[in-house]
Amino acid sequence: MRQLVLHRLLWSLPSLAIVSALTFVLASLAPGDAARTVLGTNTDPAAYAQVREQLGLDRSLPAQYGGWLAAAARGDLGDSLFTHEPVVEILRSRVGVTLTLIVGATVIAAVLGVAIGVVGAVRGGVAGRVTDALAMLGMAVPTFWLGLLLILVFASRLGWFPATGFVPFAEDPLGWLRSYTLPVLTLATAGVATIAKQTRGAVLDAMGTEYVRALRANGLPDRAILLKHCLKNAAVPVTTVVGLVMIGLLGGTILVEQVFALPGLGQLAVSATLQHDLPVLVGVVTTYTLVVMASNLVTDVGYGWLSPRMEAGR
């Protein structure tokens, strides 16, 4: 297990370098730059050149990336081109909002998805068809549309939850929970559908094995077979899907944070892209990359815990 963790950590370094370099390249291909955003479209060329020099945009792209990479190796991600705040501080103030959203949505998706999938596999018939129908519906519904629908029903009409905004936990724990409820449910819906469908298939496969049929023939209760054997065998593929769902939720946070006006990394990424604030944008992308790597690492550790033989094979 230690070798696995060390191996993942070592591979994270070149991965981060590649992702950050691609971000620099792709951002340079977008029309406009930060100097043009500051001065506007109709401006004096001399003033435009002066602002580009002040922001360091007059240097070549390799020189800009080389300077950023050298500073990043020391833990310095630079300063925002507009607010002049350290990017590390900007990320620190927002990363908690996004991580809470992702973790909360993943937990709800895993719990509800596994429960629905198991019921669909055990009951079969109508329950199985309902599970498949819900899975298809959950994966087809656009995230932004679902968020607006929840706002319309539970915020505007019923008044149970706030439509937008964020309340820090330290100020009001109940208000914090209410401000997260609709965004988390919006983000978790597609994950619930995906995990439910995968769980149902994995449990059905486990229930159809010769080993399980032999246990049932020996008189072992169906409840014990399900809890001690079927779910254990289905845990590995379900764990894979949960890890993939968590990674997929990262993209969903951008839309959800825009719809519910949450001050997270997704909202920050949108504003940094529109303003061509490259240091902030690269910082956000790097943070997202670290979250993906952490999710993959947790999934691999889960493999080792659920299936020691699989871990030994690695």
Side-chain angles (χ1 to χ4, degrees), residues 256-276:
V256 170
E257 289 178 7
Q258 290 295 313
V259 171
F260 292 95
L262 295 178
L265 294 178
Q267 191 181 76
L268 181 63
V270 173
S271 63
T273 302
L274 295 176
Q275 295 177 338
H276 300 281

Side-chain angles (χ1 to χ4, degrees), residues 196-251:
K197 187 171 181 62
Q198 178 62 40
T199 301
R200 179 173 179 266
V203 172
L204 286 176
D205 290 342
M207 293 173 63
T209 60
E210 294 290 342
Y211 175 68
V212 170
R213 285 198 290 265
L215 292 175
R216 188 176 290 113
N218 289 331
L220 194 67
D222 290 341
R223 181 185 181 88
I225 293 176
L226 175 65
L227 296 178
K228 294 183 179 180
H229 302 282
C230 293
L231 290 182
K232 183 177 180 180
N233 292 334
V236 172
V238 171
T239 300
T240 302
V241 174
V242 172
L244 293 175
V245 165
M246 184 174 183
I247 293 174
L249 294 179
L250 288 172

